[in-house]
Amino acid sequence: EVYLVPESIYIEAIELEASEGQEIVLTSLTSNSLVLQSNTLRPSTTYALRLTATTPHPLKDDQGLTLEGYGELEIETAGPPPVPGELRITPEMESVVDEEKTITALSWTAMDTPLTYMFSYRSDVKDNFSEPMDLRVNPISASEQKVWCMRAGLESEDHKVLVFVTVYSLYGASTTFSTEYKVLPPPDITATNEKIKAKAAEVDPETSTQVLACYQLPAAPAPAIPGSPA
């Protein structure tokens, strides 16, 4: 005797039920398309979507009869964003502007691999609206980045900068992690600026932009105290 038990049974997706004050389905129920609010579906889940179409019966419309047909589509959502690991910078703790640094993302995991990495930094720690300087043109699979130089942090912020890594899963889910690092101004600004200009002339245009961002402006002289000798 054949034992007919389905291999899998679909259950109603309760996450698609409209909650108070929140619209889940952004299109009309009579529309031939379906748009859902972002972040509604669960990650790593298989959904079966059914579209049912109804039309008046061509022969018995006067009796209120209809004809109905449906089509089904099965989709599987991507996994959740990558789980953070570590973000290490060497030399540890601090370095001078033109001292080469190595940034490494360690032990990051995700269900959807391979992962890709984008590194960047911001020299103004407190300005959340300033754009970080990307250290790559696009995210790539290498989890380590060598950086020829970084712009010094502000003196008012103890020369700290924020270093970021954004890690992307195979399907584009991303997680961003940051850490503080101290980048000190060079002891000889003029000599360092000459090195920066020479290096920028050697590298490709994308890297040249990163290198020139390290250019140091001479510190402004302290304002004279009224009544003191000039």
Side-chain angles (χ1 to χ4, degrees), residues 82-88 104-110 115 117 143 167:
V83 177
E86 298 180 59
L87 179 59
R88 293 183 185 175
T104 309
L106 297 169
S107 304
W108 285 68
T109 59
L115 302 178
Y117 303 80
S143 60
V167 182

Side-chain angles (χ1 to χ4, degrees), residues 14-30:
I14 59 174
E15 62 267 27
L16 297 183
E17 293 181 0
S19 57
E20 185 176 350
Q22 182 181 13
E23 290 293 332
I24 303 298
V25 179
L26 302 182
T27 46
S28 167
L29 295 179
T30 59

Side-chain angles (χ1 to χ4, degrees), residues 122-215:
R122 194 175 74 216
S123 58
D124 190 340
V125 173
K126 295 181 180 178
D127 186 359
N128 293 325
F129 297 100
S130 64
E131 287 294 322
M133 168 62 66
D134 289 337
L135 299 174
R136 292 176 169 174
V137 178
N138 295 300
I140 60 174
S141 59
S143 60
E144 182 177 289
Q145 175 83 41
K146 290 190 180 298
V147 184
W148 187 82
C149 69
M150 279 188 186
R151 186 174 182 82
L154 299 178
E155 184 177 3
S156 60
E157 296 175 352
D158 196 25
H159 302 297
K160 292 178 181 176
V161 303
L162 271 180
V163 181
F164 301 87
V165 60
T166 300
V167 182
Y168 298 87
S169 71
L170 177 63
Y171 298 112
S174 65
T175 301
T176 299
F177 184 79
S178 66
T179 188
E180 287 188 349
Y181 185 72
K182 188 178 290 189
V183 181
L184 303 172
D188 187 338
I189 290 179
T190 302
T192 298
N193 283 344
E194 290 301 315
K195 285 176 60 179
I196 289 171
K197 290 190 290 185
K199 183 68 175 180
E202 298 174 1
V203 298
D204 58 81
E206 291 81 9
T207 307
S208 176
T209 302
Q210 301 167 11
V211 172
L212 289 175
C214 303
Y215 195 88

Side-chain angles (χ1 to χ4, degrees), residues 55-76:
T55 185
H57 196 292
L59 301 178
K60 302 180 180 180
D61 184 29
D62 57 342
Q63 301 178 27
L65 297 179
T66 60
L67 294 178
E68 186 178 277
Y70 68 88
E72 286 188 340
L73 174 67
E74 204 172 89
I75 63 171
E76 184 175 352

Side-chain angles (χ1 to χ4, degrees), residues 1-5:
E1 182 178 351
V2 180
Y3 188 52
L4 299 178
V5 176

